[in-house]
Amino acid sequence: MSDPRIAIVASTSEAAQRTAEVLRRCHGDVPATEADVIIALGGDGLMLRTLHRYMNLGKPVFGMNCGSVGFLMNSARDNGLLERLDRAEPVTIKPLHMQARTASGSLREARAINEVSLLRETRQTAKIRISVDGVVRLGELTADGVLVSTPAGSTSYNLSADGPILPLRAAIMALTPIAAFRPRRWRGAVLHNSAHVEFEILQATKRPVSAVADFTEVRDVRYVSVREDNAHALTLLFDPEHNLEERIVKEQFEP
């Protein structure tokens, strides 16, 4: 990437702002719409917000960890940026597309890079019917909720809910219950990324459920549809030594 035009996005942390100041002096800072590459300075939360904000631009994003969690970020250095960009290895990920119909009948749409989660809103467990590609696979799940995760998000909430870690290049997604009560032994499913997953909320008035796609929450849903969004492909850039796929494999062997 010869003399790229750079857009800098930084969190409010002192470390991120300090690094941004140095990078702007050395390389400038153009609007994201004019940039060849976006530099994201912060933690994984900042990376997710950056990917969502600029999803329609199709620009590669190189993250530096200036936050508390940096699974999707490279190490933070304020020198050698152009050399790092020249050596960077691209990873392409696709988000999930969520459609949620509410109790009022309105239809809400959102995209998720990590996961779409259905969560109980009250003290009572949720009751949810799950269909995959038009076939009812679970007539009634009684649980705190359920989620669909991308490979990129499989080490996040999905892993905390005892879901499987997914290889980044695998064309699959995880369907994982959250604190399931019935059926007790159901631990979820691994689905092809072409699968269309549908959730119907049972006893919705008594047991209200919200749907969350990364940062977007929709309350009092009655029906939720989730599938991979083939219209958007997001490119993350990583230092060769940071290899995201290797980090995901290593996560499976951590004590």
Side-chain angles (χ1 to χ4, degrees):
M1 192 178 293
S2 177
D3 195 22
R5 294 168 297 174
I6 293 171
I8 297 173
V9 179
S11 73
T12 57
S13 74
E14 181 179 346
Q17 290 296 316
R18 183 171 59 249
T19 303
E21 182 180 350
V22 174
L23 293 179
R24 288 188 178 109
R25 285 202 305 266
C26 296
H27 306 290
D29 182 9
V30 303
T33 53
E34 301 173 14
D36 297 307
V37 61
I38 298 171
I39 308 299
L41 307 173
D44 283 345
L46 185 278
M47 172 60 85
L48 286 176
R49 287 191 292 274
T50 300
L51 292 172
H52 276 279
R53 182 177 180 182
Y54 300 114
M55 186 177 293
N56 293 323
L57 296 182
K59 304 294 178 73
V61 180
F62 183 89
M64 293 192 203
N65 185 21
C66 300
S68 57
V69 180
F71 194 83
L72 298 175
M73 314 297 276
N74 300 283
S75 60
R77 299 200 302 271
D78 54 21
N79 59 355
L81 176 62
L82 297 185
E83 291 78 7
R84 295 176 77 181
L85 292 177
D86 279 335
R87 297 174 59 241
E89 298 176 349
V91 171
T92 300
I93 60 177
K94 291 184 178 180
L96 299 173
H97 179 221
M98 177 189 81
Q99 289 185 317
R101 189 168 300 281
T102 68
S104 66
S106 64
L107 186 65
R108 297 277 303 279
E109 298 187 40
R111 287 171 177 83
I113 294 162
N114 273 354
E115 74 278 318
V116 172
S117 307
L118 276 69
L119 306 167
R120 65 184 175 104
E121 294 180 6
T122 68
R123 60 181 178 79
Q124 290 188 299
T125 55
K127 289 184 179 288
I128 303 170
R129 178 174 294 130
I130 303 174
S131 299
V132 179
D133 294 329
V135 178
V136 176
R137 296 297 183 183
L138 200 57
E140 182 175 294
L141 169 68
T142 304
D144 281 356
V146 63
L147 63 84
V148 180
S149 170
T150 66
S154 66
T155 58
S156 186
Y157 192 9
N158 173 71
L159 180 59
S160 297
D162 292 328
I165 295 177
L166 306 178
L168 199 60
R169 295 184 191 274
I172 53 180
M173 52 190 181
L175 174 63
T176 303
I178 303 169
F181 179 66
R182 290 282 190 275
R184 287 190 184 277
R185 297 187 180 182
W186 188 64
R187 292 294 179 263
V190 174
L191 306 174
H192 193 269
N193 63 348
S194 64
H196 178 204
V197 187
E198 298 172 284
F199 303 98
E200 180 185 351
I201 312 306
L202 308 177
Q203 301 179 23
T205 302
K206 181 181 179 183
R207 302 170 184 269
V209 169
S210 64
V212 182
D214 284 354
F215 304 115
T216 302
E217 180 179 10
V218 183
R219 305 282 290 182
D220 299 329
V221 296
R222 293 295 189 264
Y223 165 85
V224 177
S225 164
V226 180
R227 63 174 78 204
E228 187 177 85
D229 180 9
N230 290 315
H232 293 86
L234 308 173
T235 301
L236 279 66
L237 301 176
F238 291 97
D239 292 323
E241 61 272 19
H242 181 89
N243 194 291
L244 183 60
E245 291 188 74
E246 173 62 18
R247 292 194 70 184
I248 288 178
V249 172
K250 286 174 65 176
E251 282 285 327
Q252 299 178 77
F253 296 90
E254 291 293 326

